[in-house]
């Protein structure tokens, strides 16, 4: 069983930056591939970024490539999502999750979701 707690969301102007954190419980965090997803009102939850267990492999949605960076610190049991050059269309609740299927970008391949953190980007 893994518990995930996201933090770092907030209100920011377009062009600004935020860093989201995902703190995980348990001793096996370093074994897990992790992902970030987001869900805007009235829309499906969508893939944002993923990272392998050791950080050696990352992947991004086209909509955030070049602006967002996923990282992890296994010593701190924490994953991060650095978001730069934010746009109003990035407004959503952001979730981290543990990948049951490594390297997947499909939400159905992820378990142990956090409660989410709200990101609002004003124009």
């Amino acid at each position: 069983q893994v518990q995930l707690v996201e933090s770092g969301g907030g209100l920011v102007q377009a062009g600004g930056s935020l860093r989201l954190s995902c703190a995980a419980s348990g001793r096996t965090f370093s074994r897990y591939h992790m992902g970030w997803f987001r869900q805007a009102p009235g829309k499906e939850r969508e893939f944002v970024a993923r990272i392998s267990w050791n950080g050696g492999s990352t992947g991004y949605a086209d909509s955030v490539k070049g602006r967002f960076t996923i990282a992890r610190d296994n010593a701190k049991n924490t994953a991060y999502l650095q978001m730069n050059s934010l746009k109003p269309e990035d407004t959503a609740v952001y979730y981290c999750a543990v990948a049951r299927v490594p390297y997947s970008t499909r939400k159905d391949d992820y378990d142990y979701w956090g409660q989410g953190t709200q990101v609002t980007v004003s124009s």
Side-chain angles (χ1 to χ4, degrees):
Q1 191 80 348
V2 178
Q3 291 186 326
L4 303 173
V5 179
E6 301 95 337
S7 62
L11 173 64
V12 64
Q13 289 188 329
S17 298
L18 284 173
R19 188 177 81 154
L20 306 184
S21 298
C22 171
S25 64
R27 297 174 295 175
T28 56
F29 174 77
S30 61
R31 299 182 186 176
Y32 300 135
H33 292 235
M34 301 293 297
W36 285 95
F37 289 76
R38 67 186 181 186
Q39 188 166 16
K43 294 189 176 182
E44 292 284 321
R45 191 170 299 189
E46 65 175 5
F47 167 76
V48 174
R50 60 155 188 85
I51 188 166
S52 61
W53 67 276
N54 64 351
S57 173
T58 59
Y60 299 91
D62 288 343
S63 59
V64 307
K65 204 171 292 183
R67 300 188 298 121
F68 290 11
T69 302
I70 189 171
R72 66 190 298 159
D73 184 337
N74 286 343
K76 295 183 178 179
N77 278 13
T78 303
Y80 304 97
L81 185 68
Q82 177 67 44
M83 306 186 296
N84 299 328
S85 303
L86 282 161
K87 304 175 181 180
E89 51 264 43
D90 294 318
T91 295
V93 178
Y94 284 71
Y95 301 88
C96 63
V98 174
R100 186 179 68 256
V101 179
Y103 308 107
S104 176
T105 62
R106 299 175 64 248
K107 63 180 184 296
D108 291 343
D109 290 336
Y110 283 75
D111 297 323
Y112 302 119
W113 295 81
Q115 84 291 347
T117 186
Q118 176 71 47
V119 171
T120 303
V121 184
S122 64
S123 58

